[in-house]
Amino acid sequence: MSELLGHYNYWIVIVLMMTGFYIVIARPNLIKKVIGLFIFQTSVFIFFISIAKVEGGTAPIIEEGISVYSNPLPHVLILTAIVVGLATTALGLALVVRIREAYGTINEDDIHVQDEER
Amino acid sequence: MDMVLAVLSWSCLLGGAIFLLIGALGVLRFPDFYTRLHAVSVCDTLGAGLVLAGLMLQGGFSLVTVKLLLMFYFMMFTGPTAVHALAQAAMQGKLQAVVDEHEPE
Amino acid sequence: MENLINDVLLGLLMITGFAIVRMKSLLGVTMLTSIYSLLSASLFVVLDAVDVALTEAAIGAGIATVLMVATVALTTDEEKVPRHTPLLPLLVVMATGAALIYGTLDMPHHGDPLAPAHRYVADSYLHDSPVEIGVPNVVTSVLASYRGYDTLGEVTVIFTAAAGVLALLGYRTRGRNIEAAGIRKQVVLRVIAKLFFPLILLFALYVQFHGDYGPGGGFQAGVIFATGFILYALAFGLGTAQRLIPSQLLRILAAAGVLIYAAVGLESMLLGGKFLEYRVLADDPIAGQHLGILLIELGVGITVASVMLIIYYGFVSRRH
């Protein structure tokens, strides 16, 4: 039983990841797509941080009398990834704003129709 | 002494949790925006305040307690401000409150 | 107990995720995304990643939400019903998810101290950092010193993203004082915003310079700085905020931060070390490491704060 439950965290993360993925591929609204990507990337963050956890460990700030720490390396990777992730999300949202100004809509289906009419 | 502190802090924590639960129930069950805000403000001040007080009692005289006190101080400002701003925004947006028409005679 | 909190938070994350799929109002979806970020930040605390949690709380629940609300305000709040049935996407998602779950079965258990991820360099970082760098927060020493070159790349990416947003949206350097009429009546909000604005900046400075000893550093501090100014701009209008910190200054600062970072690297080369080898910056290697980390974290903080503000100004000064 514990053999299976040991991966429980990862499974939930995969469900979250697939939720974001589903929004990206199934919803025509561009803002919703960006939010789907945001959810996807946050779930990747959770995945990395879950890997970094060591049973019985504490935050990797060296202190007297503590010997078990969680792995600091994924923390570093994700710390910078969050800020970069926001910067790229902002770029995506800026593109959405410009698409709205050019097409008058942010619905992917409507944009395709307009493109075919041209 | 330790016993008294433990009992006090746990009753604070439990009380805070109960208030948070009441607030959450209120948000779900109340009929319109304004009454829901009323429920939320209970969460912010009493619920979070009691939980913080309980944690302070657990922390004793240490740096942690000072940080918790600061958090408490900020919560007392930000919570009511946020609720007030939301209510005022709703008023400006001309959101009507749900009023019970059948007044008792 | 810790596991219980972990499980409850994961459950709440799942519920929020499904609610985001189902909800039609984009403004509501934005708020749910903010909740999602805050929940994941709490989860990071439970999983011992305090530095990451600080960043996620300020970014996901703070700045990302403001940007998404700004985008919704510039476009539309309604989501139209999709034309085709979601059957095919659902199948694709199910298949991918099943494959990924099958893949996890080979992974070591959650929290297993013998997992390969903890065996490779992590051990040496934890072991050597107090001796070589002399900084208690290992995340800071890995970020700024062991992997300083990596971080320089990340800062450059952030800078590039700001340039991209500027190219797409642009902003008037001297805009009208855009201030919704409604905000003038929010007296309580404005007083509290004014009261808290200096405190937020003070906290940002604490996070910036205490990052060697506790959770914190340039990325977190930069983001907190930006949220302070965004709060000010929200309460008093964009024009007032631009008088306080003009757009031209922000562009210079965003570049200056990256340059400070790179200059520290070049300086250590001039002093006979390798690129970003801080040991040579002072007579004592540990003092040199401290100085180097302080300087590059300062560069990171300046760039991150000004990039976030550039992006915010870009979105808000755009009118349709």
Side-chain angles (χ1 to χ4, degrees):
Chain A
M1 191 63 192
S2 67
E3 191 62 27
L4 278 175
L5 282 180
H7 298 112
Y8 164 82
N9 251 37
Y10 302 140
W11 294 348
I12 306 267
V13 167
I14 287 168
V15 171
L16 292 173
M17 210 181 271
M18 288 306 112
T19 313
F21 185 36
Y22 175 78
I23 296 176
V24 175
I25 58 175
R27 292 308 167 96
N29 186 299
L30 291 178
I31 293 185
K32 199 90 181 242
K33 273 185 201 290
V34 173
I35 287 177
L37 279 177
F38 188 80
I39 290 177
F40 195 110
Q41 86 182 11
T42 311
S43 68
V44 174
F45 300 159
I46 300 175
F47 185 66
F48 266 70
I49 301 296
S50 292
I51 290 178
K53 172 78 183 165
V54 174
E55 193 73 56
T58 60
I61 297 170
I62 305 286
E63 233 177 295
E64 290 283 319
I66 296 176
S67 58
V68 186
Y69 298 99
S70 282
N71 190 345
L73 187 56
H75 296 184
V76 174
L77 300 179
I78 296 311
L79 177 60
T80 51
I82 289 176
V83 185
V84 171
L86 178 77
T88 48
T89 305
L91 203 62
L93 289 173
L95 276 171
V96 172
V97 170
R98 289 307 299 261
I99 287 172
R100 156 83 184 193
E101 285 171 1
Y103 287 85
T105 175
I106 49 167
N107 193 299
E108 201 185 35
D109 297 341
D110 297 348
I111 292 172
H112 283 313
V113 170
Q114 283 192 30
D115 274 347
E116 275 158 27
E117 281 168 2
R118 269 182 204 177
Chain B
M1 189 59 199
D2 277 357
M3 189 65 197
V4 179
L5 264 185
V7 169
L8 260 178
S9 76
W10 275 103
S11 45
C12 274
L13 286 174
L14 271 178
I18 289 169
F19 276 114
L20 285 173
L21 199 68
I22 292 172
L25 266 178
V27 173
L28 283 175
R29 297 293 302 164
F30 274 147
D32 77 332
F33 181 76
Y34 296 102
T35 41
R36 280 182 196 160
L37 268 191
H38 175 71
V40 167
S41 55
V42 173
C43 279
D44 265 355
T45 45
L46 252 179
L50 274 176
V51 169
L52 284 179
L55 289 176
M56 274 183 245
L57 288 174
Q58 295 258 333
F61 290 101
S62 64
L63 193 63
V64 177
T65 308
V66 177
K67 286 180 184 168
L68 285 170
L69 256 176
L70 278 176
M71 270 172 73
F72 184 76
Y73 172 80
F74 286 127
M75 287 289 251
M76 286 299 124
F77 275 99
T78 50
T81 311
V83 173
H84 174 83
L86 273 176
Q88 199 160 32
M91 288 284 281
Q92 279 169 14
K94 307 247 174 355
L95 183 73
Q96 293 295 323
V98 174
V99 184
D100 195 356
E101 300 289 340
H102 309 283
E103 278 181 40
E105 296 293 312
Chain C
M1 194 63 191
E2 207 174 277
N3 276 333
L4 186 70
I5 300 175
N6 179 45
D7 297 352
V8 168
L9 283 173
L10 281 172
L12 288 175
L13 274 169
M14 255 195 337
I15 295 170
T16 319
F18 290 143
I20 290 174
V21 176
R22 292 188 59 86
M23 188 168 253
K24 286 276 176 280
S25 156
L26 288 177
L27 206 58
V29 168
T30 311
M31 290 303 136
L32 283 176
T33 315
S34 170
I35 293 174
Y36 185 88
S37 283
L38 201 60
L39 282 172
S40 48
S42 325
L43 188 64
F44 292 154
V45 177
V46 178
L47 294 173
D48 299 338
V50 277
D51 284 281
V52 183
L54 200 57
T55 321
E56 175 71 31
I59 284 212
I63 297 180
T65 312
V66 172
L67 291 183
M68 282 174 192
V69 169
T71 314
V72 170
L74 283 173
T75 54
T76 171
D77 180 33
E78 279 169 283
E79 189 192 4
K80 284 190 190 160
V81 190
R83 249 171 238 175
H84 16 255
T85 51
L87 211 60
L88 181 66
L90 206 61
L91 267 176
V92 171
V93 164
M94 293 284 207
T96 320
L100 284 174
I101 287 182
Y102 177 69
T104 59
L105 294 181
D106 283 342
M107 286 180 67
H109 282 183
H110 175 63
D112 185 357
L114 296 173
H118 310 315
R119 295 283 67 148
Y120 180 44
V121 281
D123 255 352
S124 59
Y125 285 152
L126 283 168
H127 201 259
D128 300 342
S129 166
V131 189
E132 286 178 356
I133 319 266
V135 167
N137 188 352
V138 186
V139 174
T140 302
S141 68
V142 175
L143 180 99
S145 188
Y146 288 118
R147 295 194 162 241
Y149 197 64
D150 206 3
T151 311
L152 177 61
E154 310 263 16
V155 175
T156 319
V157 170
I158 296 166
F159 176 73
T160 316
V165 171
L166 263 181
L168 281 169
L169 295 180
Y171 52 77
R172 290 172 215 88
T173 41
R174 194 161 276 283
R176 291 156 288 135
N177 195 359
I178 305 161
E179 188 181 22
I183 199 75
R184 276 189 191 286
K185 291 185 192 153
Q186 294 270 17
V187 180
V188 177
L189 186 68
R190 293 174 76 140
V191 169
I192 295 290
K194 195 171 247 176
L195 201 68
F196 273 48
F197 176 59
L199 292 177
I200 294 174
L201 297 193
L202 191 67
F203 181 63
L205 283 176
Y206 167 77
V207 169
Q208 169 87 47
F209 292 110
H210 194 255
D212 299 0
Y213 302 96
F219 283 98
Q220 296 92 322
V223 176
I224 295 171
F225 249 113
T227 41
F229 281 105
I230 289 176
L231 174 71
Y232 188 79
L234 283 174
F236 297 98
L238 187 65
T240 322
Q242 279 185 334
R243 270 205 295 283
L244 186 67
I245 180 155
S247 320
Q248 293 98 323
L249 180 66
L250 281 179
R251 294 187 202 181
I252 295 168
L253 281 178
V258 184
L259 288 178
I260 290 176
Y261 200 138
V264 172
L266 288 179
E267 172 71 12
S268 54
M269 275 172 91
L270 285 179
L271 289 173
K274 299 193 186 79
F275 189 63
L276 291 174
E277 190 179 18
Y278 312 133
R279 277 191 305 127
V280 293
L281 290 177
D283 296 334
D284 178 37
I286 297 241
Q289 290 281 1
H290 270 286
L291 184 66
I293 290 178
L294 190 79
L295 284 173
I296 69 121
E297 290 272 22
L298 192 68
V300 170
I302 291 173
T303 296
V304 170
S306 31
V307 162
M308 295 297 144
L309 275 175
I310 286 174
I311 292 172
Y312 173 76
Y313 279 4
F315 273 90
V316 178
S317 62
R318 193 102 189 157
R319 300 310 297 277
H320 55 143

